C-alpha cells in the first residue's frame, strides 16, 4: 500500500508542478502579489508607511505636512484596494478552477469505486448462491447490486432543495 500512496503523491505533485509551469506571466505576477499582500511583512510595511504619513501630516515631525487633509492618503489607499482586490480575484478564480478539477477527480474516483463495489457484490452473491450459502438475502441486497446513476442522484438532490 505504501508504494501506491507514494506513487499517487508523486503523480499529484507532478500535476501541480505542470499546472504551475503552464501559468502565464500575468497569473504568476498575480499569485506573487497576492502572496505578498497576504503576509505580515505587507501589514508591517503598511503600518509603517501609513503611520509615518499620518504622523508627518499631523505636523508632529520636523517635516512640512504634504497632505494635511489626508485626501491623497485616502486616494492612494483606494487605488491600492482596487488593484489588490483585482489580484485577489484573479488568484481566487485560479484556486476555484483547481478546486473544480479536484472535485471532478473525486467524483470520477467515487463513481468508479461504487461501480467496482457493485460488481463485487454481484460476484460474492453469485458465489454464495453457487455454494448455497446465501440463506435469506438481506432486503437491501438487490438495491446494493445496482449501479448508482449520478444524474438521478443529482435530480433527487435538486428536488430536495439541496
Amino acid at each position: 500500500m505504501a508504494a501506491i500512496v507514494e506513487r499517487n503523491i508523486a503523480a499529484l505533485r507532478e500535476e501541480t508542478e505542470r499546472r504551475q509551469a503552464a501559468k502565464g506571466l500575468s497569473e504568476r505576477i498575480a499569485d506573487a502579489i497576492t502572496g505578498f499582500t497576504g503576509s505580515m511583512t505587507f501589514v508591517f510595511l503598511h503600518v509603517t508607511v501609513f503611520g509615518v504619513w499620518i504622523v508627518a501630516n499631523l505636523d508632529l515631525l520636523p517635516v512640512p505636512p504634504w497632505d494635511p487633509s489626508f485626501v491623497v492618503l485616502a486616494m492612494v489607499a483606494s487605488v491600492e484596494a482596487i488593484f489588490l482586490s483585482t489580484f485577489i480575484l484573479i488568484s481566487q478564480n485560479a484556486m476555484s478552477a483547481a478546486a473544480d478539477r479536484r472535485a471532478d477527480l473525486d467524483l470520477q474516483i467515487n463513481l468508479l469505486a461504487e461501480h467496482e463495489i457493485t460488481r463485487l457484490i454481484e460476484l460474492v452473491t453469485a458465489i454464495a448462491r453457487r455454494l448455497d450459502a446465501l440463506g435469506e438475502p438481506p432486503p437491501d441486497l438487490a438495491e446494493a447490486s445496482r449501479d448508482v446513476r449520478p444524474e438521478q442522484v443529482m435530480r433527487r438532490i435538486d428536488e430536495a432543495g439541496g
Side-chain angles (χ1 to χ4, degrees), residues 23-50:
K23 283 185 178 181
L25 179 62
S26 61
E27 289 176 299
R28 288 196 303 271
I29 290 170
D31 286 347
I33 291 171
T34 303
F36 175 67
T37 59
S39 70
M40 286 307 294
T41 302
F42 184 76
V43 172
F44 295 142
L45 178 67
H46 274 71
V47 167
T48 302
V49 170
F50 288 173

Side-chain angles (χ1 to χ4, degrees), residues 23-91:
K23 283 185 178 181
L25 179 62
S26 61
E27 289 176 299
R28 288 196 303 271
I29 290 170
D31 286 347
I33 291 171
T34 303
F36 175 67
T37 59
S39 70
M40 286 307 294
T41 302
F42 184 76
V43 172
F44 295 142
L45 178 67
H46 274 71
V47 167
T48 302
V49 170
F50 288 173
V52 169
W53 188 302
I54 291 168
V55 169
N57 285 290
L58 289 174
D59 206 13
L60 299 174
L61 294 179
V63 294
W66 64 88
D67 184 24
S69 64
F70 300 108
V71 170
V72 176
L73 177 62
M75 182 192 67
V76 168
S78 296
V79 170
E80 179 186 45
I82 290 168
F83 281 107
L84 289 179
S85 62
T86 302
F87 289 124
I88 290 167
L89 286 172
I90 291 168
S91 293

